[in-house]
Amino acid sequence: MLIIKLTRRFYFTYIMKKIGIAIHGGAGTILKSAMTDEKEKQYTEGLNNSLITGWRILEQGGSALDAVTASVIELENNPLFNAGKGSVYTNDEKHEMDATIMDGKNLEAGAVCGVTNVKNPILLARAVMEKSEFVMMSTKGADEFAKLNNIEFASDEYFHTEHRYKQLQKAKESGKAFLDHTLEKDMKKGTVGAVAVDANGNLASATSTGGMTNKKYGRIGDTAIIGAGTYADNKTCAVSCTGTGEYFMRTVAAYRVAALMEYKKLSLKEAADEYIFKILTGIDGDGGLIAIDTDCNIVMPFNSEGMYRGFVKTGQEVEIKIYK
């Protein structure tokens, strides 16, 4: 666990403002016994950089939407995590990335799936939300829209990481597709995401992923689907999920948490726990989620061995955790 002291300026200037942000870098078989001190330090620093980047935006009066965008970009740029630069390989040795973003203030949302060579898919998802009449774009069409909106592309070499390529070879030998953290016990990287509430009480959520190692047939997971992997509504909460996407799609995970709050009148913690430990676990699904509400309550439940996660909020120090 990493504890970082916040500035005196924070306490005096923002003590009455309920702002906060939480991030995740994937859930799965994450065991301390399989982690070196150096690798743990790298993950902790990566999560901290993402968290602080989003927090500074909120601290300066910025929007939750800008905060989650910035935090996810930091994780997409870090090859340790399965999103953007660190995305896993498909069966045909390519990278197909998905991302979503949602604004709790007005329920506007943007999503992209199966995009290739887009450096930061979360920026393309936001462009879909803000610069088109659509919610979701896919594959070549999404890439074309990215070019029209000057979204930055990167070469195949930019996305290549040797450990990801080795993961693919092992997955091909088995003949199966894998989440990167399920292939071996020391492979722990996964979907990334962020949720936040700003000083105006607006919520936002963003999620990005490189999908499954050795996936075929253009498989799309929950990250690209509003209500499954990502959801935000000022009436309830903002949610970002990570885990085996098929289970989150079948249970409409992110929206389910919000619905439990709205219609069953559960608290954020009660709703998130009911989803993870009853609904998801009840169908043998695995993973976790992060969620925040307008009162700046933050929860990060998971039913796997670990989840890369962290948060900071008004009156509370930065906290980053990896294991149970």
Side-chain angles (χ1 to χ4, degrees):
M1 180 172 69
L2 176 70
I3 299 293
I4 298 175
K5 294 292 184 181
L6 297 178
T7 64
R8 182 180 298 274
R9 174 172 168 265
F10 163 79
Y11 288 109
F12 284 94
T13 306
Y14 292 100
I15 193 66
M16 299 304 294
K17 296 182 180 180
K18 296 178 180 180
I19 59 175
I21 185 168
I23 62 168
H24 71 76
T29 306
I30 305 172
L31 302 173
K32 190 171 182 62
S33 60
M35 182 85 74
T36 66
D37 290 342
E38 179 60 29
K39 189 63 70 174
E40 183 174 321
K41 180 181 178 183
Q42 291 175 5
Y43 286 120
T44 300
E45 288 178 348
L47 291 167
N48 181 65
N49 290 340
S50 169
L51 189 60
I52 294 303
T53 296
W55 171 253
R56 285 173 178 163
I57 290 173
L58 295 175
E59 193 180 24
Q60 294 167 8
S63 71
L65 201 62
D66 286 343
V68 297
T69 301
S71 285
V72 169
I73 286 173
E74 284 291 318
L75 295 170
E76 287 179 334
N77 290 343
N78 190 326
L80 289 174
F81 301 98
N82 179 20
K85 183 176 177 59
S87 293
V88 298
Y89 279 93
T90 64
N91 177 262
D92 57 359
E93 301 188 2
K94 296 181 179 179
H95 299 94
E96 296 177 356
M97 299 167 285
D98 308 333
T100 55
I101 192 165
M102 189 165 185
D103 189 344
K105 177 174 59 178
N106 49 28
L107 301 186
E108 290 186 354
V112 294
C113 57
V115 299
T116 57
N117 297 100
V118 174
K119 183 178 180 182
N120 294 111
I122 197 64
L123 288 177
L124 179 54
R126 184 160 177 177
V128 171
M129 179 179 72
E130 296 178 336
K131 299 180 180 181
S132 82
E133 66 270 41
F134 307 122
V135 169
M136 179 183 287
M137 295 184 188
S138 68
T139 58
K140 293 182 180 179
D143 288 338
E144 181 180 351
F145 184 77
K147 293 175 183 177
L148 291 174
N149 286 277
N150 298 313
I151 301 296
E152 185 176 359
F153 280 71
S155 66
D156 290 342
E157 289 73 24
Y158 172 82
F159 294 97
H160 173 78
T161 51
E162 191 61 27
H163 70 283
R164 295 297 194 205
Y165 190 72
K166 289 179 179 178
Q167 283 181 5
L168 174 63
Q169 304 313 311
K170 292 179 180 179
K172 282 186 173 182
E173 289 174 7
S174 73
K176 297 180 180 180
F178 292 93
L179 291 174
D180 54 43
H181 50 262
T182 62
L183 186 57
E184 290 184 351
K185 285 190 175 182
D186 64 344
M187 294 179 178
K188 304 164 282 291
K189 292 70 67 179
T191 302
V192 306
V195 296
V197 60
D198 60 35
N200 292 316
N202 293 318
L203 299 171
S205 177
T207 313
S208 182
T209 188
M212 301 178 78
T213 299
N214 198 36
K215 73 170 185 174
K216 303 176 182 178
Y217 316 121
R219 178 262 184 188
I220 301 297
D222 65 303
T223 294
I225 301 174
I226 297 298
T230 307
Y231 195 72
D233 184 347
N234 281 4
K235 292 190 299 182
T236 50
C237 60
V239 183
S240 176
C241 301
T242 176
T244 304
E246 280 67 19
Y247 295 101
F248 289 93
M249 289 188 283
R250 286 160 50 193
T251 54
V252 200
Y255 176 71
R256 180 72 70 92
V257 175
L260 287 169
M261 293 180 67
E262 183 171 3
Y263 301 114
K264 204 174 178 180
K265 305 304 179 185
L266 299 186
S267 68
L268 179 66
K269 184 179 188 309
E270 290 170 337
D273 284 353
E274 179 162 327
Y275 175 76
I276 292 295
F277 301 116
K278 292 183 180 180
I279 298 170
L280 181 65
T281 302
I283 59 171
D284 296 323
D286 64 294
L289 62 83
I290 56 173
I292 191 169
D293 63 20
T294 53
D295 290 326
C296 212
N297 295 307
I298 295 173
V299 296
M300 301 181 290
F302 56 95
N303 66 0
S304 52
E305 292 295 330
M307 183 170 76
Y308 293 101
R309 62 205 189 274
F311 76 92
V312 59
K313 65 178 183 176
T314 299
Q316 195 161 338
E317 297 168 339
V318 172
E319 186 171 305
I320 291 174
K321 294 183 178 181
I322 297 176
Y323 315 106
K324 278 186 177 179

